[in-house]
Amino acid sequence: MAKGRSAEAGIRAVRPRGTVELRHLDLADLDQVQAFGKRLITDGTAVDALINNAGIMMPPRSLTRQGHELQFGVNHLAHFALTGLLLPRIRQSRDGRVVTVSSDLHQRGRIHFDDLTGERG
């Protein structure tokens, strides 16, 4: 949240009349992702832009709350789910957009479809 508050302050410094809202979300828990998306919709919050910024790289092997390998769950499944939930709200915006940020390190990785949780390596 500290990094979020810093980003929020930076945005407010550039656009003091804009609307910025900071909320906490644990992307390693798809139940939280779903609740977060539903809350935004229920609150009537306008969503002009969604920036998916994949945030973890090569963590020690661990699983999300739903049992997915952590990096895959956070960087891909959670962003996909959140985008799907918020897409109707984003489409209501005049210039709504989704931006997904990544790095080129994915070129060195391989997907082992027979071991998506990384249990065997």
Side-chain angles (χ1 to χ4, degrees):
M1 289 301 285
K3 288 181 180 182
R5 282 189 286 277
S6 176
E8 181 182 25
I11 293 168
R12 289 185 191 284
V14 175
R15 296 277 188 241
R17 290 183 288 174
T19 302
V20 180
E21 186 174 333
L22 177 63
R23 296 187 185 198
H24 180 265
L25 171 60
D26 180 358
L27 292 171
D29 184 347
L30 290 174
D31 292 337
Q32 277 197 37
V33 172
Q34 184 175 25
F36 180 88
K38 285 183 177 181
R39 201 165 39 252
L40 284 177
I41 292 166
T42 301
D43 292 352
T45 303
V47 181
D48 297 319
L50 173 63
I51 302 172
N52 293 316
N53 185 9
I56 60 173
M57 180 68 176
M58 296 177 57
R61 184 185 180 275
S62 55
L63 304 177
T64 65
R65 183 162 184 202
Q66 286 73 29
H68 304 287
E69 187 276 325
L70 186 64
Q71 183 172 318
F72 178 62
V74 168
N75 295 1
H76 299 284
L77 299 178
H79 289 150
F80 181 80
L82 186 60
T83 300
L85 287 165
L86 296 181
L87 200 53
R89 179 72 60 190
I90 294 166
R91 285 185 171 150
Q92 291 175 350
S93 175
R94 190 181 76 193
D95 293 318
R97 64 197 69 222
V98 175
V99 178
T100 301
V101 180
S102 185
S103 74
D104 62 359
L105 288 176
H106 70 278
Q107 296 173 5
R108 295 187 349 205
R110 299 290 175 261
I111 297 175
H112 302 281
F113 290 100
D114 61 339
D115 185 26
L116 287 177
T117 63
E119 189 174 334
R120 294 188 299 258

